[in-house]
Amino acid sequence: MIVVMNHGASKEDMEAVIKKLENTGFQVHLSQGVERTIIGAIGDKTRLGSLALEAMPGVEKVVPILAPFKLASRNFKEEDTVVRVGNIEIGGSAIHVMAGPCAVESKDQLMEAAFRVKEAGATILRGGAFKPRTSPYSFQGLEEKGLEILAEAREATGLYIVTEVMDSRTLPLVARYADILQIGARNMQNFFLLRDVAAAGKPVLLKRGPSATIEEWLMAAEYIISGGNQQVILCERGIRSFETYTRNTLDLTAVPVLKYLTHLPVVVDPSHAIGKWRFVQPMARAAVAAGADGLLVEVHPNPAEALCDGPQSLTPENFRRLMEELRQVGKIMNRTLPDAH
Ligand code: PEP
Ligand code: MN
């Protein structure tokens, strides 16, 4: 960290800052220029938060050198984190696709979706049993019944299950059924839930908040990792922008940026980012080309009848085609996708 002193800062101001830093355990290096003095401080930056250096007389600004996230950072752990779910590895050389309907609606609907996405090469089945809906009058999910249906589909197909957990109250229930716990975009900064999910000890799919910066998102991951759970998968699902034609704006830049900043696997959800099925395929291809470790795609046996997110859901046939295309893009990227059956 660098502390830049004001042009008119006195010797006493400077000494007070140095004393405070040294008392907090920082090593101090001084650089006295003609115009102003700069104080370099080396030490444990987690102690910085309580210092309020910018409130001290003579201090112009404090410039952090390192990012505030530590355990999630590539500087801290250079090699990629590989999240193991059963016999698959997310963040390894294979690209894994999580696919299925937005919500579990019935046994027939989910079973059909499960068999069709498996045939196309998906390895993980998605489906919400607890749904975070903007309107309290919209379908809220089948809750425990939905989880039971997901478990039956896992049994029947061998697919792993990713499903959203919305609060700490239902976490023990959801964790009994899920292979991967999904933290939805709206809950990305629900810090109590993040701590509880860390303690649940299952892999976590952490979606990006609709207005979260990459740094805020990585700080959310830091909550889970510092809570003792390193099995975190980041999921870019679009952010709010001024554009209204698409549901959100897919920030594909986040993929290479995250691969640089963090060791965690990165998955892209083009469905929620775009909100219109016809644009999901090209952006899914682009996500693989950008270096994503996986995708999350909404697929419904009959999108026109879906209780949730039908307009962005692919038909099983379109999903099958997409998987073929992804295998081609994967080849260029030196990544494999599981075969179709
Ligand atoms: C979902 O995956 O169905 C979902 C609600 O996603 P998000 O939290 O990204 O909106
Ligand atoms: Mn959805």
Side-chain angles (χ1 to χ4, degrees), residues 209-253:
S211 308
T213 64
I214 287 175
E215 189 172 293
E216 287 162 344
W217 188 10
L218 288 172
M219 290 308 285
E222 192 83 9
Y223 264 89
I224 303 171
I225 306 175
S226 65
N229 184 352
Q230 293 203 20
Q231 303 164 278
V232 181
I233 305 157
L234 301 166
C235 179
E236 160 63 36
R237 47 77 72 203
I239 48 177
R240 272 282 161 94
S241 78
F242 53 82
E243 182 53 68
T244 54
Y245 188 77
T246 51
R247 184 176 179 180
N248 291 287
T249 295
L250 179 61
D251 179 15
L252 269 190
T253 326

Side-chain angles (χ1 to χ4, degrees), residues 10-329:
S10 67
K11 193 162 169 276
E12 289 72 34
D13 292 341
M14 195 178 71
E15 282 169 0
V17 171
I18 293 173
K19 194 162 162 218
K20 192 160 191 185
L21 283 167
E22 284 179 343
N23 287 347
T24 321
F26 284 90
Q27 249 185 52
V28 171
H29 299 265
L30 210 60
S31 159
Q32 263 166 321
V34 185
E35 284 285 320
R36 59 188 73 219
T37 299
I38 288 171
I39 303 168
I42 298 170
D44 178 2
K45 65 181 182 303
T46 57
R47 297 188 185 172
L48 250 183
S50 55
L51 281 185
L53 291 172
E54 269 168 336
M56 294 181 73
V59 174
E60 185 171 303
K61 62 179 172 185
V62 177
V63 188
I65 303 287
L66 293 175
F69 45 88
K70 181 175 171 188
L71 304 174
S73 150
R74 248 242 207 248
N75 292 328
F76 179 75
K77 176 175 180 278
E78 208 179 321
E79 70 280 9
D80 288 339
T81 286
V82 172
V83 174
R84 288 191 178 77
V85 183
N87 62 6
I88 64 171
E89 294 185 340
I90 301 167
S93 62
I95 289 177
H96 286 281
V97 179
M98 313 175 179
C102 182
V104 182
E105 298 168 10
S106 68
K107 185 168 169 187
D108 285 352
Q109 171 248 18
L110 191 77
M111 284 295 175
E112 175 160 11
F115 278 105
R116 301 291 300 273
V117 300
K118 184 188 162 113
E119 272 165 27
T123 43
I124 299 162
L125 176 66
R126 63 147 287 139
F130 292 90
K131 292 304 306 173
R133 304 305 300 276
T134 301
S135 164
Y137 309 118
S138 301
F139 175 61
Q140 304 283 309
L142 297 182
E143 305 193 344
E144 186 161 8
K145 179 75 197 146
L147 296 171
E148 284 167 9
I149 296 173
L150 283 166
E152 283 182 61
R154 169 174 49 205
E155 191 66 30
T157 59
L159 292 168
Y160 299 105
I161 303 296
V162 58
T163 195
E164 178 162 355
V165 56
M166 281 182 34
D167 60 6
S168 298
R169 182 178 57 90
T170 51
L171 173 59
L173 175 69
V174 179
R176 270 212 303 283
Y177 291 90
D179 299 301
I180 304 174
L181 292 164
Q182 176 172 324
I183 297 291
R186 293 155 193 80
N187 261 325
M188 189 207 83
Q189 286 187 311
N190 183 341
F191 301 117
F192 287 107
L193 180 59
L194 296 178
R195 287 229 183 274
D196 288 343
V197 152
K202 291 227 162 164
V204 179
L205 182 76
L206 179 64
K207 287 197 147 196
R208 181 181 191 174
S211 308
T213 64
I214 287 175
E215 189 172 293
E216 287 162 344
W217 188 10
L218 288 172
M219 290 308 285
E222 192 83 9
Y223 264 89
I224 303 171
I225 306 175
S226 65
N229 184 352
Q230 293 203 20
Q231 303 164 278
V232 181
I233 305 157
L234 301 166
C235 179
E236 160 63 36
R237 47 77 72 203
I239 48 177
R240 272 282 161 94
S241 78
F242 53 82
E243 182 53 68
T244 54
Y245 188 77
T246 51
R247 184 176 179 180
N248 291 287
T249 295
L250 179 61
D251 179 15
L252 269 190
T253 326
V255 178
V257 170
L258 287 169
K259 296 304 284 180
Y260 173 71
L261 289 177
T262 177
H263 49 84
L264 298 172
V266 181
V267 159
V268 171
D269 168 0
S271 306
H272 290 88
I274 298 151
K276 291 180 162 83
W277 71 267
R278 67 179 71 252
F279 307 118
V280 167
Q281 283 144 297
M283 295 318 287
R285 297 193 301 260
V288 171
D293 298 299
L295 288 166
L296 183 148
V297 180
E298 284 191 339
V299 179
H300 194 287
N302 186 359
E305 298 291 321
L307 295 181
C308 182
D309 288 350
Q312 68 194 32
S313 298
L314 297 185
T315 60
E317 180 51 23
N318 278 338
F319 179 68
R320 191 191 59 72
R321 278 197 214 118
L322 170 63
M323 291 295 286
E324 287 302 323
E325 294 169 1
L326 295 182
R327 281 187 193 94
Q328 299 304 314
V329 184

